[in-house]
C-alpha cells in the first residue's frame, strides 16, 4: 500500500485526478511518453503500468467501466536502457571483500556462495541452517519486506523462492562461527554495529559501496566498475553455470518462478550451448 500510494503521488498524479471511466488509451500513451521524458526506467514504467492495469481491472469488475485501456499497451524495452548485470569472479569479489569491515564479510560471502537475495540473507535464523546434515543445507523460508509500518519478515518474493540450498564447505566455514555466536531468536547475519532485530539494508548497502570505493582508491579495483550488492547473486549464477550447472538446476537454486526467467537473464552465459546442440544433432542425424 505504501508503494502504491507512492505511485499515485509520484507517477500518476495527473491520471489519478481523472474519473476512472474517463481514462483512455490516448491518456496512457501520453503518460508513458511523459514517464520516458522524465527519465523513468523501463522497469519503473512497467511496475506502475502493472498497478494501473490492476486498478482498471477492478473498475471493470465493479461495473465502473467496460474495457481496460492498459491492454495491448507496448511498453518501453528494457534491453537498451536497463542497467546490465555485473559479473564478478571470486578473485574480483575478494578484492572488495578485503576492504569490508570484518563483521560485514560473512553476509556478503554467503550471498556470493549461495545466490541469496539481500532480503533473504538478512532474514536467516539459526533454525534455517543445518550444517551437520549429510549435505549441509540452508532453508529459505522468509525475507524482509517493507510495509506501511516499517520492515517486516514475511514469505519470500515468490512461491518458488521458498527453497533449500546445498552448501559448499567454504560456506559452512563462514556460517559455523556465526551460528555458534547467535542466540536462537537472533538474526544470523546481523552485526554488532547494527540492530539485531531489523535488517539495516541501508547500512549494508553503504558498507558495500564504501568497500568498493576504498578498493578503487587503492587502485586494486577499477573505478569504472561498480557492482551492486544484487550483482553478487548474478555472479553466483555465472559461476555456477561456468562450473557446469544446468539452467534448470540454477533456476531451482535461485528460486526463480520460471526457468524462462533464468534463461532470459543468464542464457547468454552458456557459450558452449550451440556447440553442444550442433554435436548432438550431428550424432542423431549421422554426420
Amino acid at each position: 500500500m505504501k508503494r502504491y500510494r507512492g505511485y499515485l503521488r509520484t507517477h500518476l498524479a495527473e491520471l489519478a485526478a481523472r474519473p476512472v471511466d474517463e481514462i483512455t488509451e490516448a491518456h496512457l500513451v501520453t503518460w508513458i511518453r511523459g514517464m520516458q521524458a522524465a527519465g523513468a526506467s523501463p522497469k519503473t514504467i512497467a511496475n506502475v503500468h502493472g498497478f494501473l492495469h490492476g486498478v482498471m481491472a477492478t473498475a471493470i469488475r465493479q461495473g465502473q467501466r467496460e474495457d481496460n485501456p492498459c491492454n495491448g499497451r507496448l511498453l518501453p524495452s528494457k534491453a537498451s536502457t536497463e542497467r546490465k548485470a555485473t559479473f564478478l569472479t571470486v578473485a574480483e569479489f575478494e578484492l572488495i571483500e578485503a576492504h569490508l569491515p570484518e563483521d560485514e564479510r560473512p553476509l556478503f560471502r554467503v550471498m556470493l556462495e549461495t545466490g541469496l537475495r539481500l532480503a533473504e540473507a538478512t532474514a536467516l535464523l539459526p533454525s534455517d541452517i543445518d550444517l551437520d546434515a549429510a549435505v549441509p543445507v540452508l532453508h529459505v523460508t522468509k525475507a524482509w519486506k517493507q510495509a506501511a509500518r516499517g520492515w517486516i519478515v514475511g514469505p519470500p518474493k515468490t512461491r518458488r523462492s521458498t527453497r533449500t540450498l546445498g552448501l559448499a564447505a567454504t560456506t559452512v566455514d563462514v556460517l559455523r562461527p556465526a551460528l555458534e555466536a547467535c542466540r536462537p531468536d537472533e538474526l544470523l547475519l546481523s552485526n554488532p554495529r547494527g540492530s539485531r532485530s531489523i535488517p539495516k539494508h541501508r547500512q549494508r548497502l553503504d558498507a558495500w559501496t564504501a568497500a568498493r570505493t576504498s578498493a578503487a582508491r587503492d587502485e586494486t579495483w577499477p573505478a569504472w566498475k561498480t557492482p551492486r550488492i544484487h550483482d553478487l547473486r548474478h555472479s553466483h549464477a555465472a559461476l555456477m553455470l561456468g562450473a557446469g550447472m544446468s539452467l534448470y538446476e540454477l533456476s531451482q537454486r535461485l528460486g526463480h518462478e520460471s526457468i524462462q526467467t533464468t534463461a532470459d537473464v543468464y542464457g547468454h552465459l552458456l557459450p558452449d550451448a550451440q556447440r553442444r546442440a550442433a554435436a548432438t544433432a550431428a550424432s542423431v542425424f549421422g554426420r
Side-chain angles (χ1 to χ4, degrees):
M1 290 175 65
K2 181 178 180 180
R3 185 182 305 117
Y4 292 163
R5 290 191 183 104
Y7 288 169
L8 291 168
R9 181 176 61 255
T10 307
H11 304 301
L12 293 168
E14 183 177 347
L15 288 179
R18 297 178 179 274
V20 71
D21 61 336
E22 292 183 8
I23 294 175
T24 67
E25 288 193 35
H27 291 131
L28 265 293
V29 171
T30 300
W31 171 76
I32 291 172
R33 289 175 177 170
M35 290 282 285
Q36 290 178 294
S41 71
K43 182 177 181 181
T44 297
I45 296 174
N47 288 346
V48 182
H49 180 271
F51 163 70
L52 194 58
H53 188 284
V55 171
M56 295 301 166
T58 300
I60 292 171
R61 288 197 303 273
Q62 295 182 352
Q64 296 174 333
R65 62 178 300 139
E66 295 181 355
D67 65 326
N68 193 328
C70 297
N71 287 339
R73 255 326 88 230
L74 292 178
L75 298 176
S77 170
K78 298 180 182 180
S80 60
T81 57
E82 204 74 341
R83 172 170 172 166
K84 305 298 182 184
T86 299
F87 300 101
L88 303 178
T89 65
V90 175
E92 286 177 324
F93 166 77
E94 289 174 347
L95 291 175
I96 297 177
E97 183 185 39
H99 291 265
L100 285 165
E102 287 283 346
D103 56 6
E104 293 283 7
R105 294 180 185 179
L107 170 68
F108 297 111
R109 172 64 68 164
V110 167
M111 290 180 65
L112 176 72
E113 296 190 2
T114 63
L116 290 180
R117 302 175 177 94
L118 178 60
E120 295 169 342
T122 52
L124 289 173
L125 294 171
S127 58
D128 297 319
I129 313 293
D130 187 355
L131 300 185
D132 297 317
V135 176
V137 294
L138 178 157
H139 304 288
V140 181
T141 61
K142 52 192 170 298
W144 286 97
K145 48 193 63 182
Q146 199 166 13
R149 63 180 185 275
W151 288 94
I152 61 170
V153 172
K157 185 176 182 180
T158 66
R159 180 175 59 85
R160 292 189 183 274
S161 293
T162 299
R163 61 201 189 277
T164 297
L165 307 180
L167 301 177
T170 50
T171 315
V172 172
D173 291 342
V174 171
L175 286 173
R176 193 174 295 281
L179 197 60
E180 292 172 351
C182 195
R183 296 196 307 266
D185 60 339
E186 286 183 335
L187 298 175
L188 186 64
L189 294 173
S190 59
N191 64 48
R193 293 179 294 109
S195 168
R196 298 182 74 83
S197 61
I198 58 174
K200 291 288 186 183
H201 282 149
R202 174 51 57 188
Q203 183 187 72
R204 309 332 263 278
L205 294 171
D206 289 347
W208 176 257
T209 301
R212 191 186 66 213
T213 302
S214 179
R217 191 180 301 118
D218 289 352
E219 299 185 353
T220 57
W221 183 262
W224 58 265
K225 193 171 185 177
T226 56
R228 305 155 296 177
I229 288 180
H230 196 69
D231 286 321
L232 296 177
R233 178 171 165 86
H234 294 317
S235 299
H236 176 80
L239 292 167
M240 295 299 98
L241 289 174
M245 180 176 281
S246 71
L247 276 176
Y248 174 78
E249 292 171 319
L250 180 63
S251 177
Q252 298 293 303
R253 187 167 178 86
L254 295 179
H256 283 163
E257 193 67 17
S258 164
I259 191 173
Q260 187 60 52
T261 302
T262 318
D264 289 345
V265 179
Y266 304 115
H268 69 286
L269 299 176
L270 295 171
D272 292 336
Q274 296 301 330
R275 178 185 58 77
R276 291 197 302 272
T280 302
S283 69
V284 171
F285 298 111
R287 286 188 181 182

